[in-house]
């Protein structure tokens, strides 16, 4: 029998992923490209926006544009933080732009984005002559401070009059907005808790304030003695001894002998100087004024039995070893600034007095080269009107001697003690000089044993600025570092040949005129997001008082007729100092920096899991922030915009060191807006984790989620991306001969 050949067909539906775009052809010079300019700025407040008046450009940041064919154009930001990339050698006009933080700037991290600031990995279209300007942000999270933080200082109590009162206030806090008000400060610790302190440091991670002992005539040490460091829980307002710095001196106070007169000679030479904490909150730095060493302690511990290390602060060739008096500290961009003065004590020559600052590398345990070296022989404003020698700094005296009084009972002889170093946004340093003579005397004190006279000491510290430039640091009034002194800024009372970055450092009123042109008392705080800088001053609102003045950070003005920039803290009737020094260091209680999570959903046209330059963003994807286990209600929800980006931040409850599940929902996407307009049912997630974390997809295709653990405070994670693909449908299988 003849076998008939019959054919049947079986058709099965198969789903297969196909790229929806043809492979890129060879690169061709795209002369039609518009301009691509990238600006990298240093974000200050972490709000994701660019504020030109506040945030400057960052030089030395490498930037790369990648074209669809894989070609690149590179450049490095200049002094203003900008770079224009030449893309004529690339093809397509659509590019991926990436900025990278060089190893030489380890203190910088990616900044929050989403407002005027773009992520460090962004996408642009300059085809057809279009222009693209990207502004990217980097930051040092340690710079962050919330609006209007509380400020902390300490009141130094006169132990003679009105007497030692262990329940009297020591550490106090008050609002940043207290200027121009009579808001009473809040007591955080008592004299019994700390005794007399100067150095103050704040560990924002657990909101603890450290304070350190200070040698001042007619005051009392706390329970830790000359080397005592105390720690205060600001929430509980409880204080305990943190540690005792060894070898910090042993001279005792003698309150009832000549008003503690003999103790005046050890001021600036015993006990402790400034204190600072590292930007990561792990190390506490303090200067021992006796052995002239920098001591390092574990700041994370509840208490410290011993230092982690100590290092001799190099003598910068002062005329005599005893002339070197270190005392000032600052921390910025991972650098510890350590400074002091050559006191001129051995020679009694003003020409031998200098301020010297160098950097300390805590990781290496080594001091670097000198950064600032300036003679202190320049003309200054007068601490007291018509003063015969108060227009200059005076060499330290080995034995305290009071000059002839003015106006019957006022004495002044300013001697420099560097007690504060703070960094401005651009790297300039603000120096706070305390007048040592202001800690050797006080209110109604005799000048020597057996004297029937009682004098009032007038302090005469200073605020100075050194500007950071390409070749190093320059003093105010030189090489382009501003001199803001003029008749208007200083109220007309200071000679015009006196150089002042901060000419607002004076006092005047209608009754006394303008008796003081140098009123700084050695402490300041720089809050980079604020327009004014608070600093401790003599006579902030009235004579015979002490408090804080807020200086304009640009022009240095402060004092005015209404005292709207001033805040009174003490007077001759409270702590008992009148015009003499009576306050400690000044510290802003800044919160930890916020964190951010993001950033992009795109259509992966070649299904390779990588954000290629010409692949489009996807708008309308709902992104949910869930607890780590992925269960329960969403903590926050975002929807990707036209650029495909989404961001979660502190306002959404995002916290440092916390695990989250991020869920992506593309059900609201308009398929018509995607290449090829595929049906929504065909859309899937691309292959996850295919390469570089900054440009691959992190979404699990099976669950539509990604699990993320945030890093420490200030962490910005812009790598949680999602790529979509379309699964194209096709019909068919194979044909065969059905022989039977």
């Amino acid at each position: 029998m003849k076998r008939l050949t019959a054919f049947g067909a079986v058709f099965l539906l198969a789903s297969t992923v196909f790229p929806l775009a043809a492979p890129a052809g060879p690169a061709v010079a795209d002369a039609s490209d518009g301009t691509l300019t990238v600006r990298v700025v240093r974000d200050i407040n972490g709000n994701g926006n660019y504020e030109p008046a506040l945030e400057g450009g960052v030089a030395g940041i490498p930037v790369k544009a990648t074209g669809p064919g894989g070609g690149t154009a590179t450049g490095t930001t200049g002094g203003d933080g900008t770079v224009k990339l030449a893309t004529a050698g690339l093809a397509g006009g659509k590019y991926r732009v990436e900025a990278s933080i060089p190893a030489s700037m380890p203190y910088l991290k990616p900044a929050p984005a989403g407002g005027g600031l773009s992520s460090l990995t962004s996408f642009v279209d300059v085809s057809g002559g279009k222009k693209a300007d990207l502004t990217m942000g980097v930051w040092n999270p340690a710079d962050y401070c919330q609006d209007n933080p509380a400020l902390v200082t300490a009141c130094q109590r006169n132990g003679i009059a009105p007497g030692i009162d262990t329940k009297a206030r020591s550490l106090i806090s008050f609002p940043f907005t207290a200027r121009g008000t009579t808001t009473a400060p809040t007591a955080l610790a008592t004299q019994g808790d700390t005794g007399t302190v100067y150095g103050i440091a704040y560990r924002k991670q657990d909101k603890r304030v450290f304070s350190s002992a200070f040698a001042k005539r007619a005051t009392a040490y706390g329970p830790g003695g000359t080397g005592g460091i105390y720690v205060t829980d600001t929430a509980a307002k409880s204080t305990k001894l943190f540690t005792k710095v060894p070898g910090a001196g042993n001279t005792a106070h003698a309150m009832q002998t000549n008003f503690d007169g003999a103790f005046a000679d050890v001021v600036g030479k015993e006990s402790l100087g400034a204190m600072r904490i590292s930007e990561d909150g792990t190390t506490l730095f303090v200067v021992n004024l006796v052995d002239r060493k920098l001591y390092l302690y574990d700041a994370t511990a509840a208490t410290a039995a011993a230092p982690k290390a100590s290092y001799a602060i190099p003598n910068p060739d002062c005329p005599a070893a005893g002339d070197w008096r270190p005392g000032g500290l600052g921390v910025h961009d991972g650098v510890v600034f350590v400074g002091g003065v050559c006191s001129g004590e051995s020679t009694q020559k003003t020409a031998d007095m200098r301020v010297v600052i160098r950097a300390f590398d805590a990781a290496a345990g080594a001091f670097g080269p000198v950064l600032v070296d300036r003679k202190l022989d320049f003309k200054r404003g007068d601490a007291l009107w018509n003063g015969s020698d108060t227009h200059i700094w005076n060499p330290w005296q080995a034995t305290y001697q009071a000059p002839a009084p003015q106006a019957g009972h006022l004495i002044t002889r300013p001697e420099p003690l560097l007690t504060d170093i703070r960094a401005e946004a651009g790297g300039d340093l603000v120096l706070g000089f305390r007048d040592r003579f202001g800690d050797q005397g006080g209110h109604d004190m005799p000048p020597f044993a057996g004297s029937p006279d009682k004098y009032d000491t007038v302090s005469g510290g200073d605020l100075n600025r050194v500007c950071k430039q390409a070749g190093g640091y320059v003093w105010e009034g030189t090489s382009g570092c501003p001199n803001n002194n003029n008749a208007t800024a200083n109220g007309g009372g200071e000679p015009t040949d006196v150089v002042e970055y901060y000419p607002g450092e004076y006092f005047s009123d209608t009754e006394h005129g303008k008796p003081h042109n140098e009123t700084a008392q050695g402490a300041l705080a720089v809050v980079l997001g604020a327009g004014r800088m608070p600093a401790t001053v003599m006579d902030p609102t009235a004579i015979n008082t002490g408090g804080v003045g807020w200086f304009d950070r640009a022009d240095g003005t402060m004092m005015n007729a209404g005292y709207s920039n001033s805040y009174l803290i003490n007077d001759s009737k409270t702590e008992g100092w009148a015009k003499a020094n009576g306050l400690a260091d000044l510290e802003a209680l800044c919160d930890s920096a916020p964190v951010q999570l993001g950033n992009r959903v795109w259509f992966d046209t070649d299904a390779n899991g990588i954000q290629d330059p010409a692949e489009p963003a996807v708008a309308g994807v709902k992104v949910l922030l869930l607890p780590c286990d992925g269960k329960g209600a969403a903590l926050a929800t975002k929807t990707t915009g036209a650029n495909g980006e989404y961001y979660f931040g502190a306002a959404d409850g995002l916290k440092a060191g916390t695990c989250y599940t991020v869920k992506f929902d593309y059900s609201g996407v308009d398929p018509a807006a995607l290449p090829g307009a595929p049906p929504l049912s065909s859309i899937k997630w691309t292959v996850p984790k295919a390469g570089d974390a900054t440009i691959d997809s992190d979404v699990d295709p099976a669950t539509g989620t990604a699990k993320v653990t945030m890093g420490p405070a200030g962490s910005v994670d812009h790598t949680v991306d999602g790529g979509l693909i379309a699964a194209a449908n096709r019909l068919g299988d194979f044909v065969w001969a059905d022989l039977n």
Side-chain angles (χ1 to χ4, degrees):
M1 182 177 72
K2 185 177 180 180
R3 188 176 298 271
L4 298 175
T5 301
F7 293 90
V10 177
F11 297 91
L12 300 177
L13 186 66
S15 179
T16 305
V17 174
F18 284 101
L20 295 181
V28 178
D30 198 340
S32 66
D33 277 5
T35 58
L36 171 56
T37 303
V38 178
R39 173 186 286 108
V40 181
V41 301
R42 182 157 176 164
D43 189 20
I44 296 299
N45 51 24
N47 64 1
N49 289 300
Y50 172 41
E51 295 153 278
L54 178 64
E55 296 158 349
V58 181
I61 301 293
V63 180
K64 177 177 69 174
T66 302
T72 61
T74 61
T76 301
T77 58
D80 62 352
T82 66
V83 59
K84 182 175 291 186
L85 296 181
T87 62
L90 305 182
K94 296 181 180 180
Y95 308 120
R96 185 176 65 234
V97 182
E98 299 162 279
S100 56
I101 299 172
S104 60
M105 304 177 189
Y107 49 88
L108 291 180
K109 310 295 179 186
L117 293 180
S118 301
S119 170
L120 295 189
T121 299
S122 296
F123 296 80
V124 299
D125 182 355
V126 293
S127 60
K130 291 190 287 288
K131 177 183 178 182
D133 292 314
L134 282 178
T135 301
M136 299 174 167
V138 295
W139 74 337
N140 180 347
D143 289 343
Y144 173 79
C145 197
Q146 73 279 18
D147 292 339
N148 303 319
L151 296 170
V152 168
T153 186
C155 296
Q156 299 166 335
R157 187 81 172 178
N158 189 319
I160 298 170
I164 299 174
D165 180 357
T166 58
K167 295 182 180 180
R169 62 186 183 176
S170 172
L171 283 182
I172 59 170
S173 69
F174 49 93
F176 195 91
T177 55
R179 63 189 179 100
T181 75
T182 57
T183 302
T186 299
L188 300 177
T190 67
Q191 292 292 324
D193 292 328
T194 69
T196 300
V197 295
Y198 175 78
I200 295 178
Y202 180 58
R203 188 172 190 272
K204 62 181 68 175
Q205 289 83 354
D206 50 20
K207 300 186 184 302
R208 292 189 298 163
V209 174
F210 295 85
S211 55
S212 56
F214 185 66
K216 178 178 175 65
R217 179 184 175 185
T219 64
Y221 288 121
T226 57
I229 296 180
Y230 310 92
V231 61
T232 299
D233 182 321
T234 57
K237 297 180 182 178
S238 61
T239 300
K240 61 183 177 183
L241 181 66
F242 176 74
T243 195
K244 292 183 180 181
V245 179
N250 52 23
T251 301
H253 287 282
M255 301 294 187
Q256 305 309 314
T257 304
N258 186 34
F259 288 67
D260 200 24
F263 194 86
D265 294 341
V266 304
V267 171
K269 299 180 178 181
E270 291 192 12
S271 195
L272 306 176
M275 185 166 58
R276 288 289 172 264
I277 200 164
S278 61
E279 290 178 318
D280 63 4
T282 61
T283 303
L284 186 71
F285 304 94
V286 65
V287 176
N288 183 330
L289 299 182
V290 175
D291 62 16
R292 302 172 178 84
K293 289 183 178 180
L294 180 66
Y295 283 75
L296 283 61
Y297 288 89
D298 181 1
T300 68
T303 59
K308 295 194 296 184
S310 64
Y311 302 91
I313 303 170
N315 185 324
D317 297 323
C318 299
D323 288 352
W324 174 229
R325 296 298 174 184
L329 291 178
V331 176
H332 184 63
D333 284 351
V335 175
V336 182
F337 296 94
V338 184
V341 299
C342 291
S343 68
E345 181 179 314
S346 66
T347 64
Q348 289 299 297
K349 294 179 179 179
T350 302
D352 289 333
M353 301 170 62
R354 295 153 49 212
V355 55
V356 180
I357 300 171
R358 66 178 77 224
F360 174 75
D361 184 337
F367 285 91
V370 169
L371 302 175
V372 177
D373 190 340
R374 177 71 159 86
K375 284 182 176 291
L376 296 175
D377 59 354
F378 50 85
K379 184 176 182 179
R380 305 196 309 132
D382 54 2
L384 183 60
W385 75 98
N386 296 325
S388 59
D389 64 348
T390 56
H391 282 287
I392 58 171
W393 282 115
N394 297 276
W396 286 28
Q397 298 179 106
T399 302
Y400 174 74
Q401 295 179 340
Q406 299 177 55
H409 66 289
L410 301 176
I411 55 174
T412 187
R413 189 184 183 277
E415 300 177 12
L417 176 62
L418 182 66
T419 50
D420 211 342
I421 305 172
R422 303 283 183 166
E424 271 284 357
D428 292 0
L429 299 180
V430 187
L431 311 183
F433 287 91
R434 191 174 175 98
D435 176 7
R436 177 184 181 239
F437 192 79
D439 289 306
Q440 294 180 304
H443 178 59
D444 280 345
M445 286 189 178
F448 54 86
S451 171
D453 300 315
K454 292 182 180 180
Y455 296 154
D456 285 352
T457 297
V458 178
S459 66
D462 211 347
L463 293 173
N464 296 106
R465 179 88 155 228
V466 287
C467 296
K468 185 177 182 180
Q469 298 182 354
Y473 293 89
V474 298
W475 199 260
E476 58 189 37
T478 63
S479 302
C481 191
N483 169 25
N484 292 321
N485 186 26
N486 56 64
T488 301
N490 191 256
E494 189 165 64
T496 56
D497 60 345
V498 174
V499 174
E500 293 270 21
Y501 187 96
Y502 301 98
E505 183 206 346
Y506 68 92
F507 173 74
S508 68
D509 65 11
T510 55
E511 180 181 356
H512 303 90
K514 189 177 178 190
H516 311 294
N517 269 305
E518 299 289 359
T519 59
Q521 294 192 324
L524 60 127
V526 174
V527 177
L528 297 179
R532 288 188 172 271
M533 176 190 79
T536 53
V537 295
M538 171 185 69
D539 291 355
T541 62
I543 63 170
N544 296 324
T545 64
V548 175
W550 277 255
F551 292 80
D552 187 288
R553 288 170 55 205
D555 64 22
T557 57
M558 186 277 287
M559 179 57 61
N560 58 27
Y563 307 117
S564 62
N565 298 318
S566 305
Y567 178 64
L568 186 148
I569 295 177
N570 60 29
D571 57 28
S572 59
K573 296 179 180 178
T574 54
E575 276 68 30
W577 295 112
K579 295 179 182 292
N581 297 331
L583 295 172
D585 198 1
L586 191 63
E587 192 75 15
L589 304 189
C590 296
D591 292 340
S592 294
V595 293
Q596 190 182 63
L597 170 68
N599 76 346
R600 186 173 185 259
V601 178
W602 88 101
F603 197 82
D604 189 11
T605 55
D606 61 1
N608 69 349
I610 300 298
Q611 298 179 68
D612 296 315
E615 293 177 334
V618 179
V621 177
K622 185 183 293 185
V623 188
L624 294 83
L625 185 69
L626 300 171
C628 187
D629 61 8
K631 300 177 181 179
L635 304 173
T637 302
K638 304 290 182 179
T639 301
T640 59
N643 60 4
E645 295 179 5
Y646 74 93
Y647 295 100
F648 293 108
D652 304 303
L654 194 71
K655 297 179 180 179
T658 304
C659 173
Y660 297 96
T661 290
V662 183
K663 183 175 180 62
F664 295 81
D665 177 5
Y666 56 77
S667 62
V669 170
D670 179 9
L674 302 179
L680 188 62
S681 61
S682 70
I683 296 177
K684 308 293 181 185
W685 292 108
T686 190
V687 57
K689 301 185 182 302
D692 185 343
T694 62
I695 56 174
D696 69 5
S697 181
D698 297 272
V699 181
D700 180 354
T703 63
T705 64
K707 187 162 288 189
V708 181
T709 298
M710 292 305 302
S715 297
V716 171
D717 188 346
H718 289 170
T719 68
V720 188
D721 306 311
L724 289 172
I725 55 177
N729 294 330
R730 68 180 181 180
L731 185 67
D733 197 349
F734 67 97
V735 178
W736 81 101
D738 190 3
L739 299 180
N740 62 357

